[in-house]
Amino acid sequence: MKGKRVLKKQILRLEYLEAEYEDCIEIHDESRHEFESTVRNLHYNLNVFDEDLDDISKKQNDSSEANKINDAGLEDQKDKEQTPLWAKSLFRKIVKMTHPDKLSDDLAVDDKERLAEKYQLVKEAIDKGDFAKIAMIANSLNIDLTTVEISDFSKFKQKETSLQEAIKKIKNSIFWVWGTSTQEQKDRIVQEFLKSKGWTSKKAMRKKSRKGKHPGKSIGWARKLSLKKDDEKQ
């Protein structure tokens, strides 16, 4: 009985962490889009050449930051260990309840979609060797979890640690900082970004930046605007 209560609490912790992780990914992706749009607008208006932004081939080969975070934080376990018997048993029970071909025609469309989604999730979980996720899905379907071995609780702790590390990595990213900043803080971030890129340096002022139909605005214009803002604050 004690082991069952411990398992239930562990599953609740994992469900909370998964929900937080998904929220973090959503905020991260929205913030990244906003930050990159801001940078590209600056790049366009200042008409400066920047290898990271002007090299098309590099942009095409660049993978999503969120995917990098996901891959780093939540790695597959299947190649490292065999599937325990309790996980196989739960997997079979879940499939019987959720496989699209086994669903009753009397079920509402929303219920069919919900169960079909769980079927896809459990397939991914068994392929990845995410045994804790299998138990979580079984719990959401009110499937008995007494077959879960207490000796395998380490698998649940591993998933908990992976989720915590993935969340931490997202919250340490520049995109998270941007998304949780005030407008004044964002303005300071942009100024620091311009300095780090050298887009407002004297060297950049002396050089013709990019060729193209858009003449852009001169670096001198950006510097004058910056000085004007400083005067207004004073």
Side-chain angles (χ1 to χ4, degrees):
M1 185 65 70
K2 182 179 178 181
K4 187 175 181 180
R5 287 199 300 270
V6 172
L7 177 60
K8 287 281 187 180
K9 288 180 181 178
Q10 182 67 62
I11 287 176
L12 285 174
R13 280 198 294 271
L14 291 177
E15 288 174 347
Y16 170 80
L17 286 171
E18 273 202 340
E20 184 179 4
Y21 174 71
E22 293 299 328
D23 286 344
C24 286
I25 285 291
E26 185 176 350
I27 293 170
H28 172 279
D29 288 350
E30 290 175 356
S31 300
R32 181 186 181 184
H33 177 74
E34 182 186 335
F35 178 80
E36 290 183 342
S37 295
T38 301
V39 169
R40 291 195 179 281
N41 285 335
L42 282 169
H43 176 245
Y44 179 78
N45 288 330
L46 295 175
N47 196 30
V48 291
F49 176 80
D50 188 285
E51 183 180 357
D52 292 334
L53 294 173
D54 289 299
D55 189 343
I56 297 175
S57 62
K58 186 170 182 178
K59 285 190 292 182
Q60 290 175 339
N61 293 329
D62 185 34
S63 59
S64 165
E65 183 71 18
N67 287 338
K68 290 178 185 177
I69 290 172
N70 190 7
D71 292 342
L74 304 174
E75 58 185 20
D76 295 354
Q77 298 291 325
K78 187 163 187 177
D79 292 338
K80 299 179 182 179
E81 54 189 323
Q82 291 185 338
T83 306
L85 292 176
W86 62 262
K88 291 180 180 179
S89 175
L90 291 179
F91 174 76
R92 287 193 292 268
K93 290 177 182 178
I94 293 169
V95 169
K96 285 181 181 179
M97 292 180 63
T98 62
H99 194 289
D101 293 341
K102 298 181 181 296
L103 298 180
S104 171
D105 293 334
D106 297 332
L107 280 176
V109 174
D110 288 347
D111 290 333
K112 285 184 177 180
E113 290 178 351
R114 178 178 61 84
L115 292 172
E117 182 180 357
K118 289 186 183 295
Y119 172 71
Q120 292 299 325
L121 288 174
V122 79
K123 275 181 60 182
E124 291 174 7
I126 198 74
D127 289 340
K128 293 179 179 179
D130 190 350
F131 310 130
K133 182 65 176 179
I134 294 173
M136 292 167 66
I137 297 170
N139 184 63
S140 69
L141 294 169
N142 295 318
I143 295 174
D144 184 33
L145 299 177
T146 54
T147 56
V148 178
E149 297 288 343
I150 296 179
S151 59
D152 283 332
F153 273 20
S154 60
K155 294 176 177 57
F156 294 82
K157 294 300 293 184
Q158 288 171 3
K159 185 174 180 66
E160 180 180 346
T161 300
S162 293
L163 284 167
Q164 289 171 336
E165 289 176 350
I167 291 169
K168 183 179 179 180
K169 187 164 186 177
I170 293 173
K171 291 186 175 181
N172 284 335
S173 70
I174 179 61
F175 306 120
W176 181 270
V177 173
W178 174 270
T180 55
S181 294
T182 63
Q183 187 56 52
E184 184 178 355
Q185 290 169 331
K186 287 179 179 180
D187 290 341
R188 286 202 296 268
I189 291 172
V190 168
Q191 291 302 316
E192 290 300 318
F193 176 84
L194 287 173
K195 289 179 184 177
S196 70
K197 285 291 188 179
W199 289 0
T200 55
S201 67
K202 290 182 179 180
K203 182 179 178 181
M205 288 176 65
R206 290 194 300 267
K207 289 177 62 177
K208 185 172 179 63
S209 28
R210 288 183 289 134
K211 293 181 179 180
K213 294 181 180 179
H214 173 61
K217 295 190 177 182
S218 69
I219 299 297
W221 170 85
R223 293 174 70 84
K224 288 177 184 178
L225 182 61
S226 179
L227 290 171
K228 183 180 178 182
K229 286 184 178 180
D230 290 339
D231 290 339
E232 289 174 353
K233 288 181 180 178
Q234 293 175 0

